[in-house]
């Protein structure tokens, strides 16, 4: 007769809220692989941007009232482009769903406005034909 092995019941440890929160935080802190690749690719760009941000003096002369404009330090990137880039970084782009909703709203508004203008045009045409002719 074969002996029966006792069935071993293992219970999974119940995870506490704090442990779950710590796990989530660890996931957020871990850099995704794409970030690592993007970080490695951006190193040469950062080096170039450091060079472009530096100011230089085109002509080295003793500083006097006459030569003040010539000896003024200049930047490689014109201020217009710096300000434009800063402004562009502040833009919040709409999501795909929001863009689709806004597109539908513009199409509906255009159709309604076209119908309204057509109705007004038809009314004026009738009015002028009756009154003037």
């Amino acid at each position: 007769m074969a002996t029966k092995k006792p069935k071993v019941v293992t219970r999974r440890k119940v995870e506490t809220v704090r442990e779950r929160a710590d796990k989530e935080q660890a996931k957020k802190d871990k850099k995704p692989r794409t970030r690592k690749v993007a970080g490695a690719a951006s190193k040469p760009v950062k080096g170039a941007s450091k060079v472009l941000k530096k100011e230089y003096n085109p002509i080295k002369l003793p500083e006097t009232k006459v030569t003040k404009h010539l000896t003024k330090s200049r930047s490689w990137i014109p201020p217009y482009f710096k300000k434009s880039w800063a402004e562009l970084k502040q833009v919040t782009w709409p999501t795909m769903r929001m863009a689709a909703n806004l597109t539908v709203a513009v199409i509906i508004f255009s159709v309604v406005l076209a119908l309204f203008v057509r109705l007004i045009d038809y009314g004026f045409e009738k009015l002028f034909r009756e009154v003037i002719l």
Side-chain angles (χ1 to χ4, degrees):
M1 178 169 166
T3 60
K4 274 189 169 179
K5 291 183 181 178
K7 190 174 183 181
V8 178
V9 178
T10 57
R11 290 191 174 184
R12 197 169 73 181
K13 183 182 171 191
V14 178
E15 194 174 42
T16 64
V17 175
R18 178 171 283 164
E19 289 171 341
R20 251 185 273 142
D22 289 342
K23 270 188 186 179
E24 290 297 321
Q25 188 62 37
K27 282 182 185 178
K28 288 179 184 176
D29 291 343
K30 187 178 177 184
K31 281 187 174 181
R33 187 174 186 161
T34 54
R35 294 278 185 205
K36 291 178 185 176
V37 173
S42 68
K43 284 182 183 178
V45 175
K46 285 182 182 177
S49 69
K50 285 181 184 176
V51 170
L52 292 175
K53 285 181 183 177
K54 287 183 180 176
E55 294 186 351
Y56 67 96
N57 291 346
I59 302 173
K60 300 205 188 262
L61 296 172
E63 193 169 331
T64 63
K65 287 184 179 181
V66 176
T67 61
K68 188 173 185 180
H69 180 68
L70 295 173
T71 59
K72 188 167 112 177
S73 61
R74 312 231 181 251
S75 175
W76 287 100
I77 302 174
Y80 169 77
F81 292 113
K82 286 182 182 180
K83 291 176 184 173
S84 297
W85 184 253
E87 192 72 29
L88 192 60
K89 288 203 286 191
Q90 293 177 356
V91 172
T92 55
W93 300 102
T95 61
M96 283 290 279
R97 186 173 186 163
M98 189 186 299
N101 288 344
L102 292 173
T103 303
V104 169
V106 167
I107 291 170
I108 290 171
F109 179 77
S110 300
V111 168
V112 168
L113 187 65
L115 290 174
F116 179 71
V117 169
R118 178 67 180 135
L119 183 67
I120 296 291
D121 183 46
Y122 178 74
F124 280 133
E125 182 183 348
K126 278 290 193 187
L127 179 70
F128 286 125
R129 285 188 190 262
E130 296 292 325
V131 173
I132 295 176
L133 297 177

